[in-house]
């Protein structure tokens, strides 16, 4: 039986339906946590606090994103700048060289008036894109052409991947039957050569963040190069190119339209929602890395969508999609609607919602076909039938044997260019290089924090809109004094910095400040907890002065300790799923957990000064990742006079994690930025630190770097 002709409903009915959808949009998503009491245990409280921080951050970014207040003149002036930022957030700045595509048609199959060519091209040398090109059997003139970007659908048998293009062949088939050409390209992970989309999602490759790599950048680049290929095809009318795809393909449609003006018409299907869904409602748990940019400029997804305007765009989704929920889709559409209205192009934006789950439903397909007909062929003829799948996977397969020079499976190691810096050879050159690197860090790695109203830039004197510090403990035992000071780092996040001094109130000449991950925090509590059970709630103070053994301070010395977010008493849930996706959700908000820890340390240092705990010398200490956090925090706090760092990672690939930091520098250069302040590296192999040792040599008889294989003092 032939399905009934497909027609969009009457305009008045559409208006009523849209009003009902807007009501749904403003109805909060029901969450079980809303009805639960606040957790009583420390981990539960820390987890609830970081969840609330994410929620507040989402609200902040949504209000402040570039597309939030749309003025056509301002937008047009900024559009190039915003596009440049998106290129950067996708790892595409500088843009790779557009070399020879080396396009090769390896064969074709013809059936029922349709010709499908099997082909491949190289978007970069060795980065293969396998594809099928659909066209009518007879082509007398250039035809409107569709670039179909495939979503997540594995099609494989007996260890052979046929590519996700096979699963979505009904789209190419329909377009070819109705007077179009259609190029359908495989994705990186689900193509015939199976690369990786799941680095941070499942495989623990958190170093992708520091490198500035996301497979979303590869998919965007491959789509750009697919347009380059279509421009070489005589059958394709380059002025009438439409782009569509579902799920991952919907997301790639947005990437491409935001970065490239050549697509004339768009139908992104189930490919976008907002930060509230991704972060607050945990939809990020269901999305792999190819769906996300590295959001150091702090956008909500409405800005990506706005870069596609005012080209004809149909935003399509189902109403029961759990990873692109209707609430967020409607919020994005509402923001986009105002953008199109600002362009006086409201008729070019469409919204199609059908019943169903996250699936390639016939209703979604038919809506896309009709939209392309309307804008690329200037016809509203009824759609009589959906697409078909007449070809076997074997008929659409491109490679009989995979190429030995492929880079698809390792492209994460080379797609993004990382910094390759030579050390300066004169002090003048070094001072210029040092200033350039610090400015680049601030602009590229900490851009979102610097842009956020009320937060602090690399200038530690900038105002902070937080409550005043509060002394929560001030006790003396066994000749020592403990002061515990609570401070607000940002938003709702509160921490305590502990300071131990001699009880006789002698002047403090030197503060040794420990940035404590779990082992260091345990050592601090072990050392002083006998005298001060306040450090370990539930224990009682010792009654003997023997508790002071090992707690003696050097004359004029104070010891301070802060356990930043996620460490020590501020540790979160140990749920593996939560701890996998929490770093990813931070990146979606333009930051990282380690960057937040750096800020906690900076605020703790500022808190000491604000409460009168100052000294001529302030030494920062840390071990492992905490050593890296201490180093970066101290770079931007001029009161820090020296660094004592143990087991500092020699590369950011091992941490700390900062967005795109390796595109600016790596850890050896970061150490050099602390100069002329003294830096001592313990448990360090001098061979890994030749770069800063060379810079230290420029300072003459008292070089500011000591590298030692021994342990910390």
């Amino acid at each position: 039986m032939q399905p009934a002709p497909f027609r969009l409903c009457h305009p008045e009915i559409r208006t009523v339906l849209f009003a009902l959808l807007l009501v749904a949009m403003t109805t909060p998503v029901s969450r079980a946590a809303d009805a639960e009491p606040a957790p009583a245990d420390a981990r539960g409280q820390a987890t609830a606090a970081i969840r609330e921080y994410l929620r507040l951050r989402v609200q902040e970014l949504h209000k402040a994103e570039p597309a939030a207040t749309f003025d056509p003149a301002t937008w047009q002036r900024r559009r190039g700048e915003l596009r440049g930022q998106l290129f950067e957030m996708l790892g595409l700045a500088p843009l790779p060289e557009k070399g020879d595509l080396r396009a090769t048609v390896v064969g074709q199959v013809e059936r029922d008036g349709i010709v499908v060519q099997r082909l491949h091209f190289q978007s970069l040398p060795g980065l293969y894109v396998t594809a099928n090109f659909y066209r009518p059997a007879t082509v007398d003139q250039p035809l409107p052409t569709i670039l179909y970007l495939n979503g997540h659908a594995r099609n494989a048998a007996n260890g052979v991947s046929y590519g996700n293009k096979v699963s979505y062949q009904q789209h190419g088939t329909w377009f070819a039957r109705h007077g179009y050409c259609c190029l359908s390209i495989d994705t990186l992970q689900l193509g015939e050569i199976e690369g990786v989309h799941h680095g941070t999602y499942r495989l623990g490759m958190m170093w992708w963040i520091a490198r500035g790599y996301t497979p979303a950048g590869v998919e965007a680049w491959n789509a750009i190069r697919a347009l380059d290929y279509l421009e070489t095809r005589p059958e394709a009318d380059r002025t009438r190119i439409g782009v569509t795809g579902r799920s991952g393909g919907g997301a790639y449609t947005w990437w491409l339209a935001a970065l490239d003006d050549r697509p004339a018409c768009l139908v992104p299907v189930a490919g976008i929602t907002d930060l509230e869904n991704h972060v607050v409602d945990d939809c990020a748990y269901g999305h792999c890395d190819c769906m996300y940019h590295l959001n150091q400029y702090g956008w909500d997804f409405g800005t990506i969508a706005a870069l596609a305007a005012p080209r004809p765009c149909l935003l399509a989704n189902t109403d029961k999609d759990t990873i692109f929920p209707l609430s967020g889709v409607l919020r994005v559409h509402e923001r986009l609607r105002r953008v199109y209205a600002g362009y006086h192009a409201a008729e070019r934006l469409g919204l199609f919602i059908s019943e169903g789950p996250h699936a390639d439903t016939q209703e979604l397909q038919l809506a896309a076909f009709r939209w392309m007909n309307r804008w690329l062929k200037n016809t509203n003829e009824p759609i009589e039938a959906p697409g078909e799948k007449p070809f076997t996977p074997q008929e659409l397969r491109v490679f009989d044997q995979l190429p030995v020079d492929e880079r698809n499976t390792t492209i994460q190691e080379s797609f993004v260019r990382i910094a390759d810096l030579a050390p300066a050879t004169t002090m003048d050159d070094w001072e210029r290089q040092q200033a350039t690197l610090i400015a680049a860090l601030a602009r590229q790695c900490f851009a979102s924090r610097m842009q956020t109203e009320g937060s602090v830039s690399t200038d530690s004197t900038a105002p902070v809109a937080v409550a005043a510090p509060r002394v929560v403990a001030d006790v003396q035992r066994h000749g020592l004094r403990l002061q515990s000071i609570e401070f607000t780092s940002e938003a709702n996040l509160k921490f305590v910095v502990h300071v131990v001094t001699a009880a006789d109130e002698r002047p403090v000449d030197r503060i040794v400040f420990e940035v404590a991950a779990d082992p260091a925090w345990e050592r601090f509590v072990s050392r002083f907890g006998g005298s001060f059970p306040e450090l370990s709630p539930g224990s009682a103070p010792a009654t003997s002065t023997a508790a002071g053994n090992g707690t003696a301070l050097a004359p004029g010395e104070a010891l301070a300790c802060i356990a930043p977010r996620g460490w020590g008493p501020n540790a979160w849930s140990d749920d593996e799923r939560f701890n996998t996706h929490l770093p990813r959700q931070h990146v979606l908000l333009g930051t990282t957990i380690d960057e937040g820890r750096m800020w906690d340390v900076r605020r703790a240092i500022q808190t000491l000064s604000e409460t009168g705990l100052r000294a001529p010398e302030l030494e920062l200490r840390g071990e492992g990742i905490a050593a890296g956090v201490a180093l970066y925090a101290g770079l931007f706090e001029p009161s820090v006079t020296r660094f004592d760092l143990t087991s500092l990672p020699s590369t950011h690939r091992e941490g700390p994690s900062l967005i795109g930091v390796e595109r600016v520098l790596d850890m050896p250069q970061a150490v050099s930025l602390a100069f002329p302040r003294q830096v001592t590296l313990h448990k360090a192999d001098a061979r890994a630190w030749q770069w800063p040792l060379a810079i230290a040599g420029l300072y003459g008889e008292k070089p500011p770097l000591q590298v030692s294989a021994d342990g910390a003092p």
Side-chain angles (χ1 to χ4, degrees), residues 114-305:
I114 299 173
V115 172
V116 185
Q117 293 182 331
R118 307 188 304 276
L119 63 96
H120 59 80
F121 60 85
Q122 297 178 49
S123 63
L124 291 172
L127 182 57
Y128 286 85
V129 180
T130 44
N132 294 145
F133 184 78
Y134 295 79
R135 63 171 176 81
T138 301
V139 178
D140 298 322
Q141 59 184 358
L143 300 175
T145 298
I146 304 299
L147 173 59
Y148 192 85
L149 302 173
N150 289 285
H152 295 82
R154 180 171 171 76
N155 197 302
N158 301 318
V160 175
S161 174
Y162 297 104
N164 47 351
K165 63 185 179 302
V166 173
S167 299
Y168 288 93
Q169 63 174 282
Q170 66 271 25
H171 298 270
T173 300
W174 188 93
F175 283 116
R177 288 201 192 284
H178 293 83
Y180 294 82
C181 298
C182 179
L183 179 67
S184 177
I185 65 173
D186 278 331
T187 55
L188 179 68
Q189 175 157 313
L190 295 167
E192 294 189 24
I193 309 171
E194 298 184 90
V196 179
H197 276 174
H198 288 174
T200 71
Y201 175 79
R202 185 168 54 86
L203 301 177
M205 296 180 177
M206 303 310 295
W207 57 268
W208 282 14
I209 297 168
R211 191 177 182 105
Y213 173 77
T214 165
V218 176
E219 300 301 350
W221 176 247
N222 286 351
I224 290 170
R225 298 295 275 151
L227 293 181
D228 295 341
Y229 173 71
L230 286 175
E231 290 186 334
T232 71
R233 295 292 306 225
E235 307 97 324
D237 183 345
R238 66 177 61 186
T239 67
R240 291 188 291 166
I241 293 178
V243 180
T244 185
R246 190 197 70 85
S247 191
Y252 313 149
T253 299
W254 287 115
W255 300 133
L256 181 60
L259 297 174
D260 199 306
D261 289 329
R262 288 177 290 180
C265 183
L266 315 166
V267 185
V269 179
I272 200 168
T273 187
D274 64 357
L275 287 175
E276 181 173 339
N277 278 166
H278 284 300
V279 177
V280 179
D281 302 327
D282 290 333
C283 288
Y285 286 31
H287 288 292
C288 66
D289 299 327
C290 71
M291 305 298 290
Y292 296 135
H293 54 306
L294 301 171
N295 194 24
Q296 63 259 47
Y297 290 102
W299 296 4
D300 206 337
F301 283 82
T303 294
I304 296 169

Side-chain angles (χ1 to χ4, degrees), residues 434 510-515 601-602 605 617-623 626-646 648 670-682 704-707 712-713:
Q434 187 180 39
R510 176 171 176 257
I511 300 175
V512 176
F513 196 119
E514 179 83 32
V515 178
V601 175
R602 290 188 62 189
I605 293 170
E617 293 186 27
L618 175 57
E619 176 183 300
L620 274 185
R621 288 184 179 177
E623 182 175 358
V629 169
L631 172 65
Y632 271 93
L635 289 180
F636 302 112
E637 290 299 326
S639 63
V640 175
T641 58
R642 62 173 291 125
F643 301 81
D644 200 272
L645 309 173
T646 301
L648 178 69
V671 167
S672 304
L673 295 184
F675 300 161
R677 293 174 287 180
Q678 184 68 39
V679 181
T680 302
L681 302 182
H682 298 277
L705 177 63
Q706 300 295 321
V707 179

